[in-house]
């Protein structure tokens, strides 16, 4: 039965560590593994626009000896004339893995339930687990380890990035402090799950409304756009609601002097992050973006070895 990666805790903390170790190996020796030699094909489906996801998966599949089959859902039958289940039954007879950047998590679950090959969540409205593998790899590179480190996530916590930060960072032994305005708090069920994980990993979970409090003693400060795809009509309201939640030099100064700044990109200078921080010496966002390639290659290679 295929292993899938639909959310951050579809793997164990030990498996997460194993994948990150493999990512470091593949970053140092980029063409050392060819699980898709043949070449085998990997389907990469996009319901949402993308730069980093599209490039990193296409390049990564090629690096691993395979051929990326990029499918824009607007020119396929998926979800319109053909069900997700039937699409899975067609694809899994021809491809080695299925990668999908989509909206509803339920679609990914349906795809995985009907696929005999691994299905990977390249982003959904609920989770962004591939991004977190890249983020954890970046933290390891810059700080030496994730265990015992504190990450402060500031901004919209009612989204996929906050969910994944809570769960994946707890799995990695980190303390997670989430700061958001009232009405934009993280899902209580995700917070509960993260606290369950943290109780065993040595981490801790905190949810506050004061960005300054979250940033105190933080090793990492992270944020995400306040206006995700499909929320453009809420732009002005969100700008008002998130006043005081910009990651600027003053907020970064509240963290440790060695703290690094993360953003999954694209970033909007002057909104969720100041240009001074995004383009400053503590920002590692370009290394973080590159690490999508290495982390996803490790994930795909690891999944190929599980079947």
């Amino acid at each position: 039965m295929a292993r899938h990666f639909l959310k951050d805790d579809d793997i164990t903390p030990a498996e997460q560590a194993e994948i990150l170790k493999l990512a470091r190996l593949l970053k140092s020796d980029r063409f050392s593994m060819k699980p898709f030699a043949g070449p085998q094909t990997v389907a990469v489906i996009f319901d949402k626009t993308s730069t980093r996801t599209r490039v990193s998966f296409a390049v990564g599949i090629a690096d691993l000896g395979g051929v990326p089959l990029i499918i824009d859902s607007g020119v396929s039958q998926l979800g319109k004339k053909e069900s997700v289940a039937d699409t899975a039954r067609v694809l899994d007879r021809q491809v080695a893995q299925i990668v999908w950047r989509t909206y509803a998590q339920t679609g990914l679950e349906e795809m995985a339930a009907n696929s005999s090959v691994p299905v990977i969540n390249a982003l959904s409205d609920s989770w962004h687990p591939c991004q977190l593998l890249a983020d954890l790899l970046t933290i390891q590179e810059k700080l030496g380890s994730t265990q015992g480190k504190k990450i402060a996530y500031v901004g919209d916590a009612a989204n996929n990035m906050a969910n994944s930060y809570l769960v994946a960072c707890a799995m990695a032994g980190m303390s997670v402090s989430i700061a958001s305005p009232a009405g934009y708090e993280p899902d209580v069920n995700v917070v509960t799950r993260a606290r369950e994980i943290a109780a065993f990993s040595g981490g801790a979970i905190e949810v506050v409304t004061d960005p300054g409090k979250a940033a105190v003693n933080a090793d990492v400060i992270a944020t995400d756009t306040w206006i995700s795809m499909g929320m453009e009509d809420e732009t002005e309201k969100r700008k008002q609601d998130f006043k005081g939640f910009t990651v600027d030099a003053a907020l970064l100064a509240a963290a440790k002097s060695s703290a690094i700044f993360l953003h999954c990109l694209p970033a909007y200078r002057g909104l969720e992050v100041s240009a001074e921080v995004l383009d400053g010496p503590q920002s590692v966002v370009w290394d973080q973006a590159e690490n999508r390639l290495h982390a996803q290659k490790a994930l795909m290679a690891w999944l190929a070895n599980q079947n």
Side-chain angles (χ1 to χ4, degrees), residues 47-49 100-106 123-126 229:
D47 292 343
K48 294 187 175 185
T49 58
W100 193 8
R101 179 179 172 94
T102 189
Y103 292 92
Q105 185 74 13
T106 52
L123 176 141
S124 72
D125 289 343
S126 300
M229 283 180 279

Side-chain angles (χ1 to χ4, degrees), residues 17-302:
E18 186 181 342
I19 292 167
L20 292 172
K21 181 179 180 180
L22 184 57
R24 294 193 298 274
L25 184 154
L26 284 168
K27 187 169 184 177
S28 66
D29 191 358
R30 182 167 168 174
F31 304 106
S32 58
M33 297 186 69
K34 300 289 184 182
F36 299 138
Q40 298 180 66
T41 300
V42 175
V44 190
I45 308 168
F46 290 94
D47 292 343
K48 294 187 175 185
T49 58
S50 166
T51 298
R52 278 150 296 279
T53 298
R54 186 179 295 256
V55 172
S56 57
F57 269 111
V59 173
I61 292 160
D63 283 0
L64 295 173
V67 174
L69 172 62
I70 307 297
I71 303 171
D72 288 309
S73 63
V75 295
S76 77
Q77 309 286 10
L78 175 59
K80 297 184 283 290
K81 293 183 178 179
E82 189 163 54
S83 69
V84 172
D86 286 354
T87 300
R89 296 180 183 112
V90 170
L91 290 176
D92 73 354
R93 293 176 177 227
Q94 302 179 62
V95 304
Q97 294 183 11
I98 301 168
V99 180
W100 193 8
R101 179 179 172 94
T102 189
Y103 292 92
Q105 185 74 13
T106 52
L108 282 155
E109 291 166 359
E110 184 179 353
M111 182 77 78
N114 291 279
S115 174
S116 61
V117 301
V119 175
I120 295 171
N121 178 1
L123 176 141
S124 72
D125 289 343
S126 300
W127 304 96
H128 201 354
C130 288
Q131 180 66 57
L132 261 289
L133 290 176
D135 290 8
L136 293 171
L137 176 60
T138 307
I139 293 166
Q140 287 182 345
E141 288 178 342
K142 303 301 180 182
L143 304 180
S145 172
T146 58
Q147 190 67 44
K149 299 295 191 296
K150 177 183 176 181
I151 182 168
Y153 174 86
V154 176
D156 185 359
N159 69 5
N160 51 6
M161 285 305 304
N163 290 345
S164 282
Y165 273 121
L166 280 162
V167 171
C169 291
M171 290 172 63
M174 299 183 74
S175 294
V176 186
S177 185
I178 300 282
S180 67
Y184 297 92
E185 299 91 343
D187 186 306
V188 292
N189 294 318
V190 175
V191 173
T192 299
R193 175 60 179 147
R195 285 184 170 141
E196 290 171 352
I197 295 167
F200 289 94
S201 69
I205 304 298
E206 176 185 51
V207 179
V208 298
T209 56
D210 181 356
K213 181 178 179 181
V216 171
N217 292 322
D219 299 282
V220 183
I221 293 186
T223 191
D224 186 23
T225 178
W226 299 339
I227 305 149
S228 296
M229 283 180 279
M231 297 179 177
E232 290 79 9
D233 59 340
E234 300 177 28
T235 296
E236 292 309 314
K237 180 180 187 302
R238 283 175 172 261
K239 284 181 181 178
Q240 292 298 317
D241 291 348
F242 284 96
K243 277 188 174 178
F245 283 80
T246 299
V247 179
D248 55 17
L251 185 62
L252 193 58
K256 291 181 180 178
S257 60
S258 58
I260 59 174
F261 172 73
L262 297 177
H263 192 308
C264 66
L265 304 178
Y268 300 91
R269 292 167 175 82
L271 292 180
E272 75 272 9
V273 59
S274 69
E276 183 181 12
V277 169
L278 185 71
D279 301 317
Q282 290 170 269
S283 173
V284 296
V285 298
W286 312 116
D287 293 321
Q288 177 189 3
E290 178 194 338
N291 281 338
R292 287 287 299 275
L293 171 66
H294 309 301
Q296 288 163 184
K297 283 173 63 178
L299 172 65
M300 289 186 288
W302 185 85

